[in-house]
Amino acid sequence: MASLTTLKLTNRSPKQGIKKLPPSIDLPAGATVEDVKKLIAKQAGINDHNRVGLFYTSTRKTLKDRKAVIAEDKDVAEAGEVLVKDLGLQIAWRTVFVIEYLGPILIHGLAVAARPYLVKDPSMSPSQWLSFGMIMAHFVKREIETLFVHKFSANTMPARNIFKNSFFYWAFSGALCAWSIYYSPWSLAATADQPLVDAAGTVLYLFGEISNALVHLYLSSLRSSGGTERKIPYGYGFSLVTCPNYMYEILAWAGIIIASRDWSVALFIAIGAGQMFVWAKGKERAYRKEFGDKYKKKRFVILPGLL
């Protein structure tokens, strides 16, 4: 397999193919998937190598690990060929997350700041202020983790996806939750007067947020800077579920639900939990495939006894 020196290239979409795609390229020793993308981009006149997508000829699935030595990939070596596609304008994953989480911060901040100009009584109840603080702190934490903690296996994603990805956060945890908590005539937080309930929500929220942050820091420590390697995680919650970071995030949002008493917050995290379940199932399959018997299989991926 390691003797592969020439790689045949074929447009994955002949009708919308890369016009200047070379029929083949010579592979330098130890060339990675990312190296191949750079070679193709240079020869095809593509200004950003991240636009180049490589796919297996047999399954037409993408070659995900950009740091993998392409000659050591069994399927590629046997075929001696990959399919190539221009993925279009790209944007960094880190930038996508920063924009996603910025929405709720701006919307909730503006919603509270605008109350004196939009309602007769601009004062907010303790429960409303608590809900505001929880939501703002959550997304500020997410921004800090995005900038300084998370390590991404992929460099970029198609730029058009940012609108789809951001809509969920800006519309649901941003606009919908802000309106329902601070402005809706049916807001339970506006009339709440149960300090013990607020305290219970706060304790659950802090436990979830702190635990989620600890798991993120641990996961970051398992990957080298710029690397794509995967290791088997152990410890804080990993004996219970595949992705304890999702479990703790759901618990934190459960704390916000208790404090806000709001249906919109419950709707947001219910939809989010559904997506997290899909991601966690995929991660469980990946762990089982990559590590085999070394990995202790999990029955539940995000919530013990439930999901």
Side-chain angles (χ1 to χ4, degrees):
M1 289 187 291
S3 61
L4 184 67
T5 57
T6 302
L7 186 64
K8 182 181 177 182
L9 307 176
T10 303
N11 273 307
R12 190 176 190 271
S13 304
K15 293 183 179 179
Q16 297 178 328
I18 301 173
K19 294 182 178 180
K20 295 183 180 181
L21 181 70
S24 65
I25 57 171
D26 295 326
L27 293 178
T32 64
V33 169
E34 189 164 38
D35 292 333
V36 171
K37 290 184 177 185
K38 290 178 179 178
L39 286 171
I40 294 172
K42 183 178 181 179
Q43 295 187 36
I46 297 174
N47 58 2
D48 179 9
H49 74 276
N50 290 301
R51 293 181 62 138
V52 177
L54 302 183
F55 303 83
Y56 293 104
T57 56
S58 56
T59 64
R60 301 177 72 85
K61 292 183 178 180
T62 184
L63 278 72
K64 292 183 178 180
D65 189 352
R66 57 189 172 85
K67 294 295 184 180
V69 176
I70 200 160
E72 296 178 357
D73 188 302
K74 181 180 178 181
D75 293 333
V76 173
E78 289 181 351
E81 178 184 8
V82 292
L83 304 178
V84 186
K85 181 180 179 180
D86 184 348
L87 301 176
L89 183 66
Q90 299 288 296
I91 187 170
W93 271 99
R94 199 178 304 277
T95 302
V96 172
F97 283 142
V98 167
I99 294 173
E100 286 178 357
Y101 304 144
L102 183 61
I105 294 173
L106 294 176
I107 292 171
H108 281 265
L110 289 172
V112 170
R115 279 181 61 85
Y117 308 99
L118 299 177
V119 296
K120 292 181 179 180
D121 181 8
S123 63
M124 297 201 309
S125 73
S127 295
Q128 284 177 310
W129 278 115
L130 177 61
S131 302
F132 172 74
M134 286 177 164
I135 292 171
M136 292 290 280
H138 171 79
F139 285 108
V140 168
K141 166 184 167 290
R142 295 293 291 269
E143 293 283 37
I144 292 172
E145 290 174 335
T146 297
L147 293 172
F148 303 109
V149 177
H150 293 322
K151 296 174 182 175
F152 300 93
S153 59
N155 287 329
T156 62
M157 64 179 288
R160 63 183 180 274
N161 288 353
I162 193 170
F163 301 103
K164 177 184 67 177
N165 289 28
S166 297
F167 175 80
F168 175 63
Y169 288 98
W170 285 61
F172 284 85
S173 61
L176 180 62
C177 288
W179 171 81
S180 188
I181 295 171
Y182 315 126
Y183 288 94
S184 170
W186 305 284
S187 172
L188 296 179
T191 57
D193 186 20
Q194 297 171 304
L196 289 179
V197 174
D198 289 344
T202 302
V203 170
L204 184 58
Y205 170 82
L206 290 174
F207 171 74
E209 290 288 357
I210 293 171
S211 299
N212 175 266
L214 291 174
V215 172
H216 283 163
L217 287 168
Y218 170 66
L219 289 173
S220 180
S221 73
L222 298 181
R223 177 173 288 168
S224 61
S225 179
T228 60
E229 70 275 15
R230 196 197 315 265
K231 298 178 182 178
I232 299 176
Y234 298 97
Y236 203 55
F238 286 99
S239 61
L240 299 174
V241 294
T242 309
C243 298
N245 49 319
Y246 295 158
M247 174 178 68
Y248 295 130
E249 176 154 354
I250 291 171
L251 291 177
W253 278 99
I256 301 176
I257 293 172
I258 293 172
S260 67
R261 289 89 161 164
D262 204 276
W263 65 272
S264 65
V265 180
L267 176 63
F268 165 73
I269 195 55
I271 297 173
Q275 181 61 72
M276 285 187 274
F277 177 72
V278 173
W279 290 334
K281 290 288 285 186
K283 188 156 289 189
E284 176 68 17
R285 287 193 296 270
Y287 282 144
R288 293 183 183 187
K289 180 179 180 181
E290 182 170 352
F291 299 110
D293 293 338
K294 294 180 180 179
Y295 175 71
K296 183 179 178 181
K297 298 178 181 179
K298 310 295 191 311
R299 181 180 176 186
F300 302 103
V301 293
I302 57 174
L303 291 175
L306 294 175
L307 299 173

